[in-house]
PDB file of all heavy atoms in Angstrom:
ATOM      1  N   GLY A 109    -151.809  79.599 107.007  1.00 81.00           N
ATOM      2  CA  GLY A 109    -151.089  80.492 107.905  1.00 81.00           C
ATOM      3  C   GLY A 109    -150.414  81.592 107.114  1.00 81.00           C
ATOM      4  O   GLY A 109    -150.878  82.024 106.070  1.00 81.00           O
ATOM      5  N   SER A 110    -149.265  82.040 107.598  1.00 84.00           N
ATOM      6  CA  SER A 110    -148.664  83.245 107.013  1.00 84.00           C
ATOM      7  C   SER A 110    -147.738  83.052 105.817  1.00 84.00           C
ATOM      8  O   SER A 110    -147.619  83.951 105.000  1.00 84.00           O
ATOM      9  CB  SER A 110    -147.910  84.010 108.099  1.00 84.00           C
ATOM     10  OG  SER A 110    -147.094  83.118 108.810  1.00 84.00           O
ATOM     11  N   PRO A 111    -147.078  81.938 105.644  1.00 87.00           N
ATOM     12  CA  PRO A 111    -146.092  81.889 104.565  1.00 87.00           C
ATOM     13  C   PRO A 111    -146.754  81.984 103.190  1.00 87.00           C
ATOM     14  O   PRO A 111    -147.916  81.603 103.034  1.00 87.00           O
ATOM     15  CB  PRO A 111    -145.435  80.521 104.713  1.00 87.00           C
ATOM     16  CG  PRO A 111    -145.914  79.962 105.967  1.00 87.00           C
ATOM     17  CD  PRO A 111    -147.145  80.659 106.355  1.00 87.00           C
ATOM     18  N   PRO A 112    -146.014  82.450 102.206  1.00 88.00           N
ATOM     19  CA  PRO A 112    -146.568  82.515 100.853  1.00 88.00           C
ATOM     20  C   PRO A 112    -146.806  81.108 100.322  1.00 88.00           C
ATOM     21  O   PRO A 112    -146.097  80.167 100.661  1.00 88.00           O
ATOM     22  CB  PRO A 112    -145.466  83.215 100.044  1.00 88.00           C
ATOM     23  CG  PRO A 112    -144.228  83.048 100.855  1.00 88.00           C
ATOM     24  CD  PRO A 112    -144.638  82.967 102.267  1.00 88.00           C
ATOM     25  N   LEU A 113    -147.809  80.975  99.468  1.00 88.00           N
ATOM     26  CA  LEU A 113    -148.158  79.675  98.906  1.00 88.00           C
ATOM     27  C   LEU A 113    -148.035  79.726  97.398  1.00 88.00           C
ATOM     28  O   LEU A 113    -148.562  80.637  96.761  1.00 88.00           O
ATOM     29  CB  LEU A 113    -149.599  79.311  99.296  1.00 88.00           C
ATOM     30  CG  LEU A 113    -150.236  78.129  98.536  1.00 88.00           C
ATOM     31  CD1 LEU A 113    -149.507  76.841  98.853  1.00 88.00           C
ATOM     32  CD2 LEU A 113    -151.704  78.001  98.921  1.00 88.00           C
ATOM     33  N   LEU A 114    -147.325  78.777  96.852  1.00 88.00           N
ATOM     34  CA  LEU A 114    -147.175  78.697  95.405  1.00 88.00           C
ATOM     35  C   LEU A 114    -147.786  77.381  94.942  1.00 88.00           C
ATOM     36  O   LEU A 114    -147.459  76.322  95.461  1.00 88.00           O
ATOM     37  CB  LEU A 114    -145.684  78.742  95.034  1.00 88.00           C
ATOM     38  CG  LEU A 114    -145.320  78.559  93.560  1.00 88.00           C
ATOM     39  CD1 LEU A 114    -145.964  79.637  92.702  1.00 88.00           C
ATOM     40  CD2 LEU A 114    -143.813  78.610  93.390  1.00 88.00           C
ATOM     41  N   VAL A 115    -148.693  77.477  93.976  1.00 88.00           N
ATOM     42  CA  VAL A 115    -149.316  76.258  93.456  1.00 88.00           C
ATOM     43  C   VAL A 115    -148.898  76.079  92.008  1.00 88.00           C
ATOM     44  O   VAL A 115    -149.079  76.976  91.195  1.00 88.00           O
ATOM     45  CB  VAL A 115    -150.858  76.342  93.530  1.00 88.00           C
ATOM     46  CG1 VAL A 115    -151.476  75.051  92.992  1.00 88.00           C
ATOM     47  CG2 VAL A 115    -151.308  76.594  94.945  1.00 88.00           C
ATOM     48  N   LEU A 116    -148.332  74.933  91.713  1.00 88.00           N
ATOM     49  CA  LEU A 116    -147.953  74.625  90.331  1.00 88.00           C
ATOM     50  C   LEU A 116    -148.760  73.436  89.866  1.00 88.00           C
ATOM     51  O   LEU A 116    -149.071  72.552  90.655  1.00 88.00           O
ATOM     52  CB  LEU A 116    -146.467  74.275  90.246  1.00 88.00           C
ATOM     53  CG  LEU A 116    -145.485  75.393  90.575  1.00 88.00           C
ATOM     54  CD1 LEU A 116    -144.063  74.872  90.484  1.00 88.00           C
ATOM     55  CD2 LEU A 116    -145.661  76.549  89.612  1.00 88.00           C
ATOM     56  N   SER A 117    -149.046  73.405  88.582  1.00 86.00           N
ATOM     57  CA  SER A 117    -149.788  72.226  88.129  1.00 86.00           C
ATOM     58  C   SER A 117    -149.009  71.512  87.035  1.00 86.00           C
ATOM     59  O   SER A 117    -148.260  72.111  86.271  1.00 86.00           O
ATOM     60  CB  SER A 117    -151.166  72.629  87.614  1.00 86.00           C
ATOM     61  OG  SER A 117    -151.051  73.113  86.287  1.00 86.00           O
ATOM     62  N   HIS A 118    -149.208  70.233  86.966  1.00 84.00           N
ATOM     63  CA  HIS A 118    -148.519  69.425  85.954  1.00 84.00           C
ATOM     64  C   HIS A 118    -148.868  69.911  84.546  1.00 84.00           C
ATOM     65  O   HIS A 118    -148.026  69.944  83.664  1.00 84.00           O
ATOM     66  CB  HIS A 118    -148.939  67.960  86.079  1.00 84.00           C
ATOM     67  CG  HIS A 118    -148.180  67.228  87.146  1.00 84.00           C
ATOM     68  ND1 HIS A 118    -148.251  65.863  87.303  1.00 84.00           N
ATOM     69  CD2 HIS A 118    -147.332  67.647  88.098  1.00 84.00           C
ATOM     70  CE1 HIS A 118    -147.476  65.489  88.312  1.00 84.00           C
ATOM     71  NE2 HIS A 118    -146.915  66.558  88.809  1.00 84.00           N
ATOM     72  N   ARG A 119    -150.121  70.271  84.433  1.00 84.00           N
ATOM     73  CA  ARG A 119    -150.585  70.699  83.115  1.00 84.00           C
ATOM     74  C   ARG A 119    -149.812  71.918  82.631  1.00 84.00           C
ATOM     75  O   ARG A 119    -149.339  71.968  81.515  1.00 84.00           O
ATOM     76  CB  ARG A 119    -152.070  71.038  83.208  1.00 84.00           C
ATOM     77  CG  ARG A 119    -152.703  71.137  81.898  1.00 84.00           C
ATOM     78  CD  ARG A 119    -153.977  70.347  81.763  1.00 84.00           C
ATOM     79  NE  ARG A 119    -154.058  69.783  80.436  1.00 84.00           N
ATOM     80  CZ  ARG A 119    -153.930  70.474  79.297  1.00 84.00           C
ATOM     81  NH1 ARG A 119    -153.704  71.751  79.365  1.00 84.00           N
ATOM     82  NH2 ARG A 119    -154.010  69.879  78.141  1.00 84.00           N
ATOM     83  N   GLU A 120    -149.643  72.890  83.534  1.00 85.00           N
ATOM     84  CA  GLU A 120    -148.915  74.106  83.166  1.00 85.00           C
ATOM     85  C   GLU A 120    -147.459  73.792  82.854  1.00 85.00           C
ATOM     86  O   GLU A 120    -146.883  74.295  81.909  1.00 85.00           O
ATOM     87  CB  GLU A 120    -148.903  75.104  84.326  1.00 85.00           C
ATOM     88  CG  GLU A 120    -150.140  75.917  84.500  1.00 85.00           C
ATOM     89  CD  GLU A 120    -150.085  76.634  85.846  1.00 85.00           C
ATOM     90  OE1 GLU A 120    -148.972  76.759  86.419  1.00 85.00           O
ATOM     91  OE2 GLU A 120    -151.149  77.053  86.314  1.00 85.00           O
ATOM     92  N   LEU A 121    -146.866  72.984  83.732  1.00 83.00           N
ATOM     93  CA  LEU A 121    -145.434  72.775  83.612  1.00 83.00           C
ATOM     94  C   LEU A 121    -145.064  71.845  82.469  1.00 83.00           C
ATOM     95  O   LEU A 121    -144.070  72.052  81.786  1.00 83.00           O
ATOM     96  CB  LEU A 121    -144.881  72.185  84.907  1.00 83.00           C
ATOM     97  CG  LEU A 121    -144.839  73.119  86.106  1.00 83.00           C
ATOM     98  CD1 LEU A 121    -144.356  72.364  87.316  1.00 83.00           C
ATOM     99  CD2 LEU A 121    -143.924  74.290  85.815  1.00 83.00           C
ATOM    100  N   PHE A 122    -145.825  70.781  82.321  1.00 82.00           N
ATOM    101  CA  PHE A 122    -145.405  69.733  81.391  1.00 82.00           C
ATOM    102  C   PHE A 122    -146.369  69.519  80.233  1.00 82.00           C
ATOM    103  O   PHE A 122    -146.045  68.816  79.298  1.00 82.00           O
ATOM    104  CB  PHE A 122    -145.249  68.394  82.129  1.00 82.00           C
ATOM    105  CG  PHE A 122    -144.390  68.476  83.351  1.00 82.00           C
ATOM    106  CD1 PHE A 122    -144.945  68.354  84.616  1.00 82.00           C
ATOM    107  CD2 PHE A 122    -143.033  68.698  83.247  1.00 82.00           C
ATOM    108  CE1 PHE A 122    -144.162  68.441  85.741  1.00 82.00           C
ATOM    109  CE2 PHE A 122    -142.238  68.783  84.374  1.00 82.00           C
ATOM    110  CZ  PHE A 122    -142.796  68.655  85.624  1.00 82.00           C
ATOM    111  N   GLY A 123    -147.555  70.087  80.361  1.00 82.00           N
ATOM    112  CA  GLY A 123    -148.511  69.898  79.276  1.00 82.00           C
ATOM    113  C   GLY A 123    -149.379  68.666  79.429  1.00 82.00           C
ATOM    114  O   GLY A 123    -150.239  68.403  78.606  1.00 82.00           O
ATOM    115  N   TRP A 124    -149.146  67.882  80.474  1.00 79.00           N
ATOM    116  CA  TRP A 124    -149.967  66.688  80.670  1.00 79.00           C
ATOM    117  C   TRP A 124    -150.389  66.625  82.128  1.00 79.00           C
ATOM    118  O   TRP A 124    -149.536  66.703  83.023  1.00 79.00           O
ATOM    119  CB  TRP A 124    -149.166  65.426  80.382  1.00 79.00           C
ATOM    120  CG  TRP A 124    -148.787  65.202  78.975  1.00 79.00           C
ATOM    121  CD1 TRP A 124    -147.760  65.784  78.311  1.00 79.00           C
ATOM    122  CD2 TRP A 124    -149.405  64.306  78.055  1.00 79.00           C
ATOM    123  NE1 TRP A 124    -147.687  65.317  77.040  1.00 79.00           N
ATOM    124  CE2 TRP A 124    -148.688  64.403  76.855  1.00 79.00           C
ATOM    125  CE3 TRP A 124    -150.492  63.435  78.138  1.00 79.00           C
ATOM    126  CZ2 TRP A 124    -149.033  63.653  75.732  1.00 79.00           C
ATOM    127  CZ3 TRP A 124    -150.816  62.682  77.026  1.00 79.00           C
ATOM    128  CH2 TRP A 124    -150.089  62.811  75.827  1.00 79.00           C
ATOM    129  N   SER A 125    -151.674  66.452  82.401  1.00 80.00           N
ATOM    130  CA  SER A 125    -152.088  66.140  83.764  1.00 80.00           C
ATOM    131  C   SER A 125    -152.138  64.616  83.876  1.00 80.00           C
ATOM    132  O   SER A 125    -152.174  63.921  82.858  1.00 80.00           O
ATOM    133  CB  SER A 125    -153.469  66.725  84.068  1.00 80.00           C
ATOM    134  OG  SER A 125    -154.444  65.985  83.367  1.00 80.00           O
ATOM    135  N   VAL A 126    -152.117  64.122  85.087  1.00 79.00           N
ATOM    136  CA  VAL A 126    -152.057  62.678  85.258  1.00 79.00           C
ATOM    137  C   VAL A 126    -153.301  61.998  84.689  1.00 79.00           C
ATOM    138  O   VAL A 126    -153.232  60.912  84.118  1.00 79.00           O
ATOM    139  CB  VAL A 126    -151.867  62.320  86.749  1.00 79.00           C
ATOM    140  CG1 VAL A 126    -151.882  60.832  86.969  1.00 79.00           C
ATOM    141  CG2 VAL A 126    -150.557  62.895  87.248  1.00 79.00           C
TER     142      VAL A 126
END
Side-chain angles (χ1 to χ4, degrees):
Chain A
S110 48
L113 167 65
L114 175 60
V115 180
L116 295 178
S117 81
H118 278 190
R119 195 130 217 307
E120 280 168 19
L121 289 176
F122 309 110
W124 291 80
S125 72
V126 177

